[in-house]
Amino acid sequence: MKEHFRVAELFAGAGLMGGGFHAAGFKSIFAAELDSRAVATYNNNLSPVAEVHDVTVVREGLEYDVLVAGPPCQGFSTLGRRDPKDVRNALSLTVYEWAKAHHPKMVVIENVPQFLESDYWQKLHCLFTGDGYECVTWILNASDYGVAQHRRRSFTIFSRIGLPECPHPLPGKLTVRDAFSGLSSVPDGENYHISPEPTEIGLARMKLIPPHGDKRDIMRNAPELCPPSWMRMGNQAVDVWGRMDWNKPANTLRCSFQSASKGRYLHPEQHRVISIREGARLQGIPDNWVFSGDRSSIARQIGNGVPVPLARAVADAIGKVLATQHH
Ligand SMILES: C[S@@+](CC[C@H](N)C(=O)[O-])C[C@H]1O[C@@H](n2cnc3c(N)ncnc32)[C@H](O)[C@@H]1O
């Protein structure tokens, strides 16, 4: 029988990371998240322990084995402005305040790989190791763990009961075709299989983009459909208006995946961006999840998260250490 090790989450989002821990047999006892719609989604699909709560205020009196945190990554990501003064960066330090109050056995912090080079990571490392925790870091690509998406994320694990082994990559990679299997190619509106109608000019552009193509195909074949800014920028930022490839994992899915102009979010064949359900599939979210909020909120909840199977692989590795200690 699986022991139900207890987990508390900070910056819980819609619970994708939490879903991985849940699937690995952990019991969530508390989850803090500012966005009420993400909280509702969390509570719809996992244990209803998520609260609209600002993590800068430490909740007293909690007892749990593992603290899991996915602080906002905008300030660290190379796509964002990477402003060292971005206040969102400092939020990662609150993880230590919670750990200091509750003494969990292990702490897991997920973020973009660049987080590991930040002063905030150094500071956290210094504080946790000063308190007797050991540390290991992993940079994992979701496509190695049963997810049809290239998404590299760092995991920093602090432990006072021994360090986990890095989860082994699975053989083979899932493709966009695997992820979308069984879904109608024209969204039928069922179970979040919905995508926005392109504008007239958007549709005209999409029709010019072949499989694996992108903005460059529009620039080459129909300059009249290109705003002057594209021409000025030349071939910079080419990975927009991009079409997915049926036979490969998708590129990293972001919150903006409902906008063709924001990335490689076009369906492999259809003249549309991928649907909400297709996005959820690319994040390994089970089809029975119910989301709260409007389409753009749901897209944010999906794009913000840790792919569930990747979270599961990390949770399994953490669970093994706790189990060894338990017996
Ligand atoms: C990268 S997302 C976390 C996603 C989550 N790990 C998952 O897998 O679904 C970061 C989240 O932190 C939340 N957040 C930002 N500032 C916060 C604060 N002060 N207190 C609580 N949550 C906050 C954001 O609303 C966002 O949902």
Side-chain angles (χ1 to χ4, degrees):
M1 200 187 78
K2 277 220 146 118
E3 1 265 339
H4 285 286
F5 297 115
R6 295 157 306 170
V7 59
E9 278 182 82
L10 305 179
F11 313 100
L16 279 66
M17 183 77 160
F21 275 78
H22 203 260
F26 282 75
K27 179 178 159 58
S28 298
I29 61 115
F30 178 74
E33 165 57 47
L34 269 190
D35 177 355
S36 60
R37 289 147 309 174
V39 166
T41 298
Y42 188 111
N43 288 338
N44 284 336
N45 303 300
L46 304 173
S47 316
V49 298
E51 291 180 27
V52 176
H53 180 89
D54 185 341
V55 305
T56 57
V57 181
V58 177
R59 173 70 56 91
E60 297 301 325
L62 297 179
E63 284 182 28
Y64 49 85
D65 303 295
V66 186
L67 179 62
V68 174
C73 57
Q74 284 87 343
F76 302 116
S77 157
T78 44
L79 267 189
R81 292 181 308 283
R82 205 169 185 190
D83 176 355
K85 293 197 199 72
D86 192 323
V87 287
R88 287 170 299 196
N89 289 357
L91 278 174
S92 58
L93 297 178
T94 60
V95 180
Y96 177 72
E97 301 303 323
W98 287 69
K100 200 168 66 174
H102 309 126
H103 307 290
K105 297 184 177 105
M106 300 175 88
V107 178
V108 182
I109 306 175
E110 174 272 333
N111 215 289
V112 291
Q114 294 86 337
F115 172 62
L116 304 184
E117 289 142 36
S118 69
D119 293 346
Y120 295 98
W121 187 88
Q122 280 296 342
K123 176 92 183 152
L124 283 166
H125 184 261
C126 191
L127 290 166
F128 275 106
T129 52
D131 283 359
Y133 283 86
E134 293 177 278
C135 177
V136 66
T137 60
W138 302 327
I139 294 177
L140 306 180
N141 191 331
S143 65
D144 287 327
Y145 298 91
V147 178
Q149 184 194 162
H150 289 297
R151 190 184 190 93
R152 289 174 75 244
R153 286 295 180 266
S154 70
F155 294 86
T156 300
I157 293 142
F158 296 111
S159 174
R160 50 185 183 79
I161 59 164
L163 291 173
E165 263 184 48
C166 186
H168 290 296
L170 303 176
K173 288 200 194 296
L174 293 184
T175 63
V176 170
R177 190 187 306 281
D178 297 322
F180 293 0
S181 114
L183 294 175
S184 58
S185 56
V186 176
D188 55 12
E190 296 290 318
N191 201 16
Y192 308 96
H193 193 22
I194 45 171
S195 71
E197 275 297 314
T199 58
E200 203 176 315
I201 186 166
L203 183 62
R205 287 174 182 160
M206 289 177 194
K207 285 183 173 165
L208 293 169
I209 304 170
H212 338 301
D214 52 48
K215 178 178 140 181
R216 284 169 293 190
D217 295 288
I218 315 173
M219 290 171 70
R220 209 175 299 123
N221 296 314
E224 70 281 8
L225 293 179
C226 303
S229 61
W230 288 15
M231 294 307 187
R232 274 199 306 276
M233 282 200 306
N235 271 353
Q236 281 171 296
V238 289
D239 220 10
V240 297
W241 291 89
R243 229 183 239 297
M244 292 184 178
D245 185 331
W246 274 129
N247 300 317
K248 291 188 178 149
N251 286 13
T252 305
L253 198 79
R254 299 180 204 284
C255 302
S256 55
F257 76 87
Q258 295 290 272
S259 304
S261 63
K262 296 287 168 63
R264 189 164 288 278
Y265 301 138
L266 293 185
H267 185 275
E269 291 170 9
Q270 302 288 311
H271 300 317
R272 61 174 176 85
V273 292
I274 59 167
S275 72
I276 291 286
R277 173 55 58 198
E278 287 162 340
R281 289 271 188 99
L282 292 175
Q283 285 280 62
I285 296 174
D287 279 358
N288 62 2
W289 274 38
V290 177
F291 297 99
S292 288
D294 59 17
R295 196 166 49 83
S296 75
S297 166
I298 298 174
R300 187 167 343 106
Q301 295 169 37
I302 292 172
N304 252 340
V306 180
V308 179
L310 174 61
R312 165 83 199 258
V314 171
D316 280 335
I318 300 289
K320 276 187 200 146
V321 181
L322 287 160
T324 328
Q325 200 243 354
H326 201 66
H327 294 299

